[in-house]
Amino acid sequence: MELDDINTTSDQLEEIIDNPDGAANAGDNVQKLLPESNDCYRKETGNGYITENQNKKSQKNFFRKHGKWIAAIFFILLIVLVITISVAVCFANNEDNDEKYDPSLFKLQQKFNGSFIVNVVQTSNKTQALKDLQEKLADLYRSSPALGRFFSEAETFGLRSDSTVVQYKLTFVYPEEQQAELRNFTLSSEMVFNVFRQFLYDQSDVEPETWFVDPSSLKMHTMH
């Protein structure tokens, strides 16, 4: 109650008590001036008054009607949270063993040799053209996702003024513990050859600057 209401009530009580004729109705008048009850405390709102019990009932009715939806949404969010945490933990603990290797353990060698035909375009420096071929060949295998870690060396030779055939040699190294798997699959002649041939086909669409390799002329053999 506001302070003005309290003062008004006090004045009215004194008037009722001082008036003998109104003594009989004093109890009724006082009862009207008092709040209805503690349980029915009236709360002012924009649209009038609502009791505290009505407010509590309204909240209970809301949860009765929407409780299942709220529980379902909470359950779904909980599942999403658990899945997100599980995936994050899996990625954190999933270490790719292929990315961990010690080059000092790569003591075994796998070598290949072969040849291809090159068309040298408007250049008189055969030595420089041969060096460029060797660097491109080394970059090719060094950047290969499957073969890069095992690649050791590339050599090119045999380009003479009266010949367009270039001979090459490739050297790969690998650890002894994976010898069978690497020799038969990753470092097999088919794998190494296909990487080289695909590179040549990709380059065949590019206009050559000083040289061009014919993909159909590529040959490769395993050195024993």
Side-chain angles (χ1 to χ4, degrees):
M1 298 176 65
E2 300 293 337
L3 182 58
D4 293 341
D5 295 337
I6 295 174
N7 293 333
T8 302
T9 303
S10 299
D11 295 339
Q12 292 175 351
L13 286 173
E14 291 178 1
E15 182 180 353
I16 292 171
I17 294 172
D18 293 339
N19 186 1
D21 296 335
N25 299 324
D28 295 338
N29 293 331
V30 170
Q31 183 65 30
K32 292 178 181 180
L33 294 172
L34 294 175
E36 295 178 4
S37 68
N38 289 334
D39 292 337
C40 297
Y41 173 72
R42 295 189 298 174
K43 183 177 180 182
E44 186 175 2
T45 64
N47 297 324
Y49 295 89
I50 60 171
T51 64
E52 187 177 4
N53 280 346
Q54 289 174 338
N55 189 32
K56 290 181 179 179
K57 288 180 181 179
S58 177
Q59 293 178 355
K60 289 181 180 179
N61 291 334
F62 175 81
F63 283 109
R64 284 174 184 169
K65 293 180 179 179
H66 306 285
K68 293 182 179 179
W69 286 105
I70 295 175
I73 293 173
F74 176 79
F75 186 69
I76 293 174
L77 292 176
L78 182 61
I79 293 177
V80 172
L81 179 62
V82 171
I83 293 176
T84 302
I85 294 176
S86 301
V87 172
V89 171
C90 289
F91 273 110
N93 296 331
N94 186 19
E95 296 180 351
D96 189 357
N97 293 327
D98 290 339
E99 294 181 357
K100 291 185 175 182
Y101 60 93
D102 185 1
S104 63
L105 299 177
F106 293 8
K107 298 180 179 180
L108 300 181
Q109 292 186 342
Q110 178 84 317
K111 295 184 178 183
F112 304 91
N113 64 352
S115 63
F116 52 83
I117 297 175
V118 58
N119 298 322
V120 181
V121 180
Q122 296 180 355
T123 178
S124 59
N125 192 340
K126 304 292 185 180
T127 303
Q128 184 61 42
L130 196 62
K131 184 178 180 180
D132 292 341
L133 286 170
Q134 181 172 306
E135 291 179 356
K136 287 185 177 293
L137 192 57
D139 290 341
L140 164 65
Y141 284 106
R142 194 179 292 115
S143 61
S144 171
L147 304 175
R149 74 193 63 182
F150 306 110
F151 177 74
S152 176
E153 184 182 16
E155 299 177 74
T156 56
F157 48 91
L159 183 60
R160 300 187 301 271
S161 57
D162 58 346
S163 175
T164 58
V165 177
V166 175
Q167 297 179 350
Y168 66 91
K169 183 171 70 174
L170 304 173
T171 303
F172 296 87
V173 292
Y174 58 94
E176 185 175 2
E177 61 181 6
Q178 299 178 350
Q179 178 176 357
E181 178 183 354
L182 292 174
R183 287 181 65 91
N184 295 329
F185 298 99
T186 306
L187 295 178
S188 64
S189 58
E190 291 82 4
M191 173 70 77
V192 178
F193 176 81
N194 287 334
V195 170
F196 195 176
R197 183 174 60 178
Q198 185 60 48
F199 170 76
L200 295 179
Y201 277 120
D202 292 340
Q203 293 295 309
S204 63
D205 296 332
V206 181
E207 183 178 356
E209 295 181 359
T210 57
W211 58 271
F212 172 74
V213 176
D214 182 7
S216 62
S217 68
L218 179 62
K219 298 180 181 179
M220 181 179 294
H221 310 282
T222 302
M223 297 179 64
H224 300 285

